[in-house]
């Protein structure tokens, strides 16, 4: 099996690069830029990709790798900072772009090269840089330019070294996937024979070995991510896995019973259901700030898990269904914190477990679904709507109360029913209702009302890193709105969110 090394220099898109490689059925693994050269040489990589990063290569404190990596005979593709580092290591000159910095969509002109085979001479790429390659190293040539960047792509084709100042891994670069495909197959000679079956098999074997003799407690929410993590680990450790399902009272309509029934009957797992709704609501009383809600819920989750672990004896490992978009939004390395996820940024600093295992941490949502199907999880469970760990607490704006939760559960159930009835569940990737903290005047039966405003949200995305609002048919929205205002007495107005990510996130809080 061919392997590509993604060498991490602190860029936000390092996991996205790995994901794009895996889309071409080539295995990719991310390792620190400090990985010893000997380990890289012995691992047998078919190619290496240097990621981007926020630093300047000429800053002595910037992350670097050994210059000799360029002389291993392994093809290298440098992206953004990685391109600059490659040039700098090999004797080129890198400096500040100053007033000619580029951000966003830029027109790219390319020259004939294996990297650009089949790609038009002119296309759009995505730039984000304050430095640039001022002089290419000896042996390199310029193979791509933009109006402001004279060395937007460089190559030493004899040594199979390539660098691009732009980001081919993001969807905004029109032919980015084709460029990566050319690097993988035309330059590195990969076969493209890696599958999700390989990931599942490798992961199961890995955890069989790493968790041998250890008892594992899995934080089961019933959502897609934690469900796939639970089944994968159950296959690895069997009855040494206990799934603790914390019903925090913040679930969707009838969800608690469905989760418990599914895992007891379908998968024959050890499952403990903890009904802790009153406990969570007490902790959330009077809290309106979103990040504080997340932190409180994360703290209580861990405390409940600790208590349950003590009841069943010492448990060595806590398992969670964390996936990559959770990690990025919660802040990782050089990345900024967008919002804390209860299973990432919301963890308290001290927990009573020897270690935490997150088997899905490298995967994006669509890859998690593929892994779930590979594990034999029923289709209807794999394609359930994504649900945040903090549950409806972050879809109830302002203070969370039982009254508000009851209203939102009904509104959300109606909206999801109408999307399903219209056969649109696969054309939009996530759809749900939000109970805003504003009330508006309405009229029902010739009488004045003053009820809640409910917002409906639906987005389309392939990775949840970016998302576009879904253009649901007006008749579907109209029917959902009509049912909500007629069937849920506390609601007097329904609105539809038409904001993409960015600038918004998928959730409102």
């Amino acid at each position: 099996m061919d392997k590509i090394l993604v060498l991490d220099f602190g860029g936000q898109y390092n996991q996205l690069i790995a994901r794009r490689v895996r889309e071409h059925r080539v295995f990719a693994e991310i390792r620190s830029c400090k990985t010893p050269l000997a380990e890289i040489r012995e691992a047998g990589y078919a190619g290496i990709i240097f990621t981007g990063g926020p630093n300047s290569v000429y800053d002595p404190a910037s992350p670097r790798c050994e210059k000799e990596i360029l002389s291993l005979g392994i093809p290298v593709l440098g992206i953004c900072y990685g391109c600059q580092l490659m040039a700098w290591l090999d004797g080129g000159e890198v400096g500040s772009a100053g007033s000619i910095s580029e951000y966003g969509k830029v027109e790219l002109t390319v020259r004939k090269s294996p990297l650009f085979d089949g790609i038009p001479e002119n296309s759009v790429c995505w730039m984000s840089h304050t430095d640039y390659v001022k002089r290419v190293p000896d042996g390199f040539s310029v193979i791509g330019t933009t109006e402001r960047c004279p060395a937007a792509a460089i190559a030493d084709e004899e040594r199979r070294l390539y660098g691009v100042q732009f980001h081919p891994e993001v969807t905004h670069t029109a032919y980015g996937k084709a460029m990566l495909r050319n690097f993988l197959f035309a330059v590195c000679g990969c076969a493209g024979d890696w599958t999700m079956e390989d990931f599942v098999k490798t992961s199961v074997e890995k955890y069989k070995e790493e968790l041998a003799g250890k008892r594992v407690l899995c934080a089961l929410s019933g959502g897609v991510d934690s469900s796939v993590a639970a089944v994968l680990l159950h296959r690895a450790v069997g009855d040494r896995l206990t799934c603790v399902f914390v019903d925090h009272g913040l679930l969707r309509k009838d969800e608690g019973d469905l989760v418990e029934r599914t895992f007891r009957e379908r998968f024959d797992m050890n499952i403990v259901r903890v009904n802790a709704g009153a406990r969570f609501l007490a902790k959330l009383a009077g809290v309106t700030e979103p990040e504080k809600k997340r932190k409180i819920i994360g703290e209580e989750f861990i405390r409940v898990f600790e208590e349950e672990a003590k009841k069943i004896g010492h448990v060595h490992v806590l398992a969670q269904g964390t996936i990559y978009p959770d990690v990025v939004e919660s802040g990782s390395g050089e990345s900024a914190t967008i919002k804390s996820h209860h299973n990432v940024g919301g963890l308290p600093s001290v927990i009573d477990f020897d270690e935490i295992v997150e088997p899905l941490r490298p995967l994006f949502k669509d890859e998690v679904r593929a892994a779930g199907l590979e594990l034999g999880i029923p289709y209807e469970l794999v394609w359930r709507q994504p649900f945040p760990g903090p549950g409806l607490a972050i879809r109830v704006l302002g203070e969370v109360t039982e009254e508000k939760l009851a209203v939102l559960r009904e509104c959300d159930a109606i909206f999801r029913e109408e999307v399903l009835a219209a056969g649109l569940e696969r054309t939009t990737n996530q759809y749900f209702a939000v109970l805003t903290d504003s009330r508006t005047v309405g009229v029902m039966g010739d009488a004045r009302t003053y009820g809640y405003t409910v917002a409906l949200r639906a987005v389309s995305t392939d990775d949840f890193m970016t998302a576009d609002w879904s253009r649901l048919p007006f008749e579907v929205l109209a029917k959902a709105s009509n049912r909500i205002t007629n069937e849920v007495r506390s609601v007097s107005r329904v609105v539809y969110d038409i904001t993409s990510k960015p600038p918004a996130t998928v959730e409102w809080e």
Side-chain angles (χ1 to χ4, degrees), residues 89-111:
L89 287 173
D90 215 38
E93 184 179 355
V94 176
S96 172
S99 61
I100 62 171
S101 300
E102 293 174 305
Y103 299 95
K105 291 183 179 179
V106 176
E107 185 166 312
L108 171 71
T109 300
V110 301
R111 300 172 188 170

Side-chain angles (χ1 to χ4, degrees), residues 29-64:
E29 63 181 7
I30 299 168
R31 302 186 70 177
S32 166
C33 62
K34 298 177 182 178
T35 302
L37 194 67
E39 290 185 20
I40 294 175
R41 183 187 292 112
E42 294 167 5
Y45 294 110
I48 301 171
I49 298 177
F50 291 177
T51 74
N55 303 92
S56 295
V57 296
Y58 46 80
D59 181 346
S62 64
R64 298 171 187 166

Side-chain angles (χ1 to χ4, degrees), residues 232-474:
L232 189 152
L233 289 172
H234 185 252
R235 184 173 291 188
V237 305
D239 60 9
R240 284 185 285 111
L241 171 70
T242 298
C243 293
V244 174
F245 167 45
V246 178
D247 186 345
H248 48 22
L250 306 169
L251 298 173
R252 292 172 289 201
K253 187 176 181 180
D254 300 328
E255 195 160 38
D257 294 340
L258 174 63
V259 169
E260 182 178 15
R261 183 171 61 250
T262 298
F263 282 86
R264 285 195 195 282
E265 296 178 2
R266 284 181 179 265
F267 300 112
D268 192 28
M269 288 187 185
N270 297 327
I271 181 169
V272 176
R273 179 176 179 176
V274 184
N275 294 309
R279 174 173 173 172
F280 277 82
L281 280 177
K283 290 283 186 178
L284 291 168
V287 178
T288 60
E289 204 277 316
E291 272 297 283
K292 191 172 181 181
K293 288 182 188 178
R294 289 176 176 272
K295 296 289 186 181
I296 288 171
I297 293 168
E299 174 92 22
E300 280 307 292
F301 259 98
I302 294 299
R303 297 306 167 219
V304 172
F305 292 143
E306 288 175 337
E307 292 168 12
E308 292 305 316
K310 289 173 182 175
K311 292 177 183 178
I312 62 175
H314 180 64
V315 175
H316 308 85
V317 181
L318 172 65
Q320 299 187 138
T322 308
I323 66 174
Y324 183 60
D326 299 340
V327 178
V328 171
E329 290 186 336
S330 295
S332 178
E334 301 293 335
S335 304
T337 298
I338 300 168
K339 58 188 179 184
S340 295
H341 289 258
H342 78 279
N343 52 352
V344 187
L347 288 176
S349 58
V350 179
I351 55 175
D352 283 345
F353 300 97
D354 299 336
E355 60 183 300
I356 293 177
V357 168
E358 297 169 321
L360 308 181
R361 192 180 180 90
L363 302 186
F364 288 77
K365 182 69 71 174
D366 59 327
E367 294 177 315
V368 173
R369 295 190 195 280
L373 292 174
E374 186 64 40
L375 285 162
I377 300 176
Y379 177 91
E380 61 271 19
L381 286 180
V382 169
W383 282 99
R384 282 182 71 199
Q385 276 292 290
F387 193 57
L392 298 181
I394 57 169
R395 292 179 182 174
V396 169
L397 306 192
E399 184 180 9
V400 182
T401 66
E402 190 56 61
E403 177 212 352
K404 288 182 177 180
L405 289 170
V407 171
L408 180 56
R409 284 192 186 97
E410 294 303 320
C411 296
D412 183 72
I414 289 170
F415 183 41
R416 288 187 289 119
E417 285 171 10
E418 291 305 324
V419 172
L420 284 169
L424 299 172
E425 72 277 9
R426 293 294 300 274
T427 64
T428 183
N429 300 96
Q430 190 167 355
Y431 46 94
F432 55 89
V434 174
L435 186 66
T436 74
D437 203 25
S438 64
R439 292 176 179 263
T440 62
V441 174
V443 57
M444 294 182 182
D446 296 326
R448 179 186 184 277
T449 62
Y450 192 61
Y452 288 110
T453 298
V454 168
L456 305 181
R457 176 79 159 144
V459 298
S460 301
T461 178
D462 64 352
D463 54 22
F464 283 87
M465 296 295 295
T466 60
D468 193 16
W469 63 277
S470 300
R471 275 65 171 175
L472 296 182
F474 288 156

Side-chain angles (χ1 to χ4, degrees), residues 69-305:
I69 196 170
L70 303 178
S71 303
L72 293 177
I74 304 173
V76 179
L77 172 63
I79 296 175
C80 197
Y81 176 88
C83 172
Q84 298 163 14
L85 180 65
M86 177 187 293
W88 187 83
L89 287 173
D90 215 38
E93 184 179 355
V94 176
S96 172
S99 61
I100 62 171
S101 300
E102 293 174 305
Y103 299 95
K105 291 183 179 179
V106 176
E107 185 166 312
L108 171 71
T109 300
V110 301
R111 300 172 188 170
K112 187 176 181 181
S113 165
L115 189 67
F116 299 136
D117 185 40
I119 292 170
E121 181 181 1
N122 296 301
S123 62
V124 170
C125 69
W126 185 262
M127 285 283 196
S128 179
H129 70 99
T130 54
D131 293 338
Y132 77 116
V133 177
K134 298 174 69 173
R135 179 179 58 81
V136 300
D138 293 341
F140 278 79
S141 61
V142 173
I143 58 172
T145 61
T146 68
E147 182 180 358
R148 293 187 175 187
C149 187
I154 61 175
D156 180 337
E157 294 183 341
E158 183 176 341
R159 290 193 290 166
R160 297 185 294 173
L161 304 178
Y162 295 85
V164 293
Q165 183 58 67
F166 52 89
H167 289 271
E169 71 274 21
V170 303
T171 55
H172 306 294
T173 296
Y175 293 91
K177 287 186 179 182
M179 295 173 194
L180 289 174
R181 182 175 62 245
N182 286 339
F183 177 71
L184 296 173
F185 298 108
V187 177
C188 299
C190 294
D193 56 1
W194 180 78
T195 65
M196 188 53 68
E197 179 182 1
D198 295 317
F199 173 82
V200 169
K201 182 178 178 181
T202 301
S203 296
V204 170
E205 292 303 315
K206 171 187 176 182
Y207 291 114
K208 274 184 180 179
E209 180 179 343
E210 291 184 2
L211 303 179
K214 297 180 180 179
R215 301 183 72 181
V216 182
L217 191 66
C218 182
L220 179 65
S221 71
V224 176
D225 305 333
S226 65
S227 298
V228 174
V231 175
L232 189 152
L233 289 172
H234 185 252
R235 184 173 291 188
V237 305
D239 60 9
R240 284 185 285 111
L241 171 70
T242 298
C243 293
V244 174
F245 167 45
V246 178
D247 186 345
H248 48 22
L250 306 169
L251 298 173
R252 292 172 289 201
K253 187 176 181 180
D254 300 328
E255 195 160 38
D257 294 340
L258 174 63
V259 169
E260 182 178 15
R261 183 171 61 250
T262 298
F263 282 86
R264 285 195 195 282
E265 296 178 2
R266 284 181 179 265
F267 300 112
D268 192 28
M269 288 187 185
N270 297 327
I271 181 169
V272 176
R273 179 176 179 176
V274 184
N275 294 309
R279 174 173 173 172
F280 277 82
L281 280 177
K283 290 283 186 178
L284 291 168
V287 178
T288 60
E289 204 277 316
E291 272 297 283
K292 191 172 181 181
K293 288 182 188 178
R294 289 176 176 272
K295 296 289 186 181
I296 288 171
I297 293 168
E299 174 92 22
E300 280 307 292
F301 259 98
I302 294 299
R303 297 306 167 219
V304 172
F305 292 143

